[in-house]
Amino acid sequence: MAIKIVIMSYKELTTIIQQLNYRPPAGVTIQIVDALMDEALLAAKSIEEKGEADVFVSAGANLATLGPHLTLPIVGIEVTGFDFLTALSKARRYSRIAFVTFRKKITYIDSILGVLAVKVRQIIYHDIKELDELLDDLAKQNITTVIGSSLVSVKPYPPSKHLLAMR
C-alpha cells in the first residue's frame, strides 16, 4: 500500500524542500502544495476528500489554519531554538531586530537573548492583514531587520531592510 504525504507549504519552505532533491522510498509519494492559509485549507480539504493523502505536513500559519479542519493527521514543522539562533547569527550584523511569529510568542527566546546580549523585539500577528500593517509599522520605527517564517520573509519590506527566514 502506497503512503501519500502532502506538504502544505509556502514559498520559502517550498524552495528549501525542493532543494533537498529528496527521493522517497518505493511506495511513498510526496506532493508539495505551495499555498497559504485559506488557499491551503481549500486545497487540503480537496486533497483529503479525493483520498490523495494519508498525512499532511505543514508549519506556522498553515499548520494553525489546517489543523482544526482536517480529519487526516497533520505533522507540524516547528521552529527550534537552533533555527532562531541561525537566523539571529545572520541578523547580528544589522541593528534593530524584530522577531515576528504567528499567533504566539516562542517562550524560550527571552532567556536566549539574555545570554547573548542581543536586543530583539518579539512580536506576534494573527492574520495576513495584521502582518502587512505590522511590517509597515516596523519600517516606520526604523526596525532594520525582521526574522520570521517564510510568510514573513516574502512580504514586501522597504529596500535596504532585511527579512530573514528561519531555516
Side-chain angles (χ1 to χ4, degrees):
M1 177 179 178
I3 298 171
K4 299 170 279 193
I5 300 169
V6 178
I7 302 172
M8 304 301 294
S9 183
Y10 196 62
K11 293 178 187 353
E12 187 78 21
L13 182 57
T14 298
T15 300
I16 293 168
I17 292 167
Q18 290 170 337
Q19 288 173 348
L20 294 174
N21 290 322
Y22 177 73
R23 292 189 179 23
V28 176
T29 61
I30 298 176
Q31 176 185 357
I32 300 171
V33 178
D34 192 5
L36 180 61
M37 298 173 80
D38 292 338
E39 182 185 339
L41 180 57
L42 288 173
K45 282 183 170 183
S46 174
I47 289 167
E48 187 173 63
E49 288 170 6
K50 293 176 186 174
E52 297 174 347
D54 295 312
V55 65
F56 288 93
V57 177
S58 195
N62 273 354
L63 178 63
T65 301
L66 299 174
H69 301 285
L70 299 176
T71 57
L72 291 173
I74 183 164
V75 177
I77 302 171
E78 299 293 330
V79 173
T80 67
F82 183 75
D83 297 319
F84 176 72
L85 288 173
T86 300
L88 187 59
S89 72
K90 295 175 188 175
R92 287 186 72 147
R93 62 181 161 220
Y94 309 114
S95 61
R96 306 203 55 158
I97 302 168
F99 179 61
V100 179
T101 56
F102 184 72
R103 291 193 182 160
K104 63 182 179 179
K105 288 187 175 184
I106 297 177
T107 54
Y108 56 79
I109 297 300
D110 292 333
S111 60
I112 292 173
L113 294 174
V115 171
L116 299 175
V118 175
K119 187 171 181 172
V120 175
R121 186 171 165 203
Q122 187 176 184
I123 305 165
I124 61 171
Y125 68 96
H126 296 88
D127 57 47
I128 294 174
K129 183 178 183 233
E130 184 181 8
L131 175 59
D132 289 335
E133 292 168 1
L134 172 70
L135 291 175
D136 287 343
D137 187 50
L138 289 173
K140 288 175 187 169
Q141 295 175 46
N142 200 30
I143 302 292
T144 58
T145 305
V146 177
I147 300 171
S149 65
S150 62
L151 174 58
V152 171
S153 70
V154 298
K155 286 299 200 180
Y157 203 61
S160 80
K161 306 300 181 190
H162 313 282
L163 291 171
L164 300 168
M166 289 181 290
R167 302 175 189 229

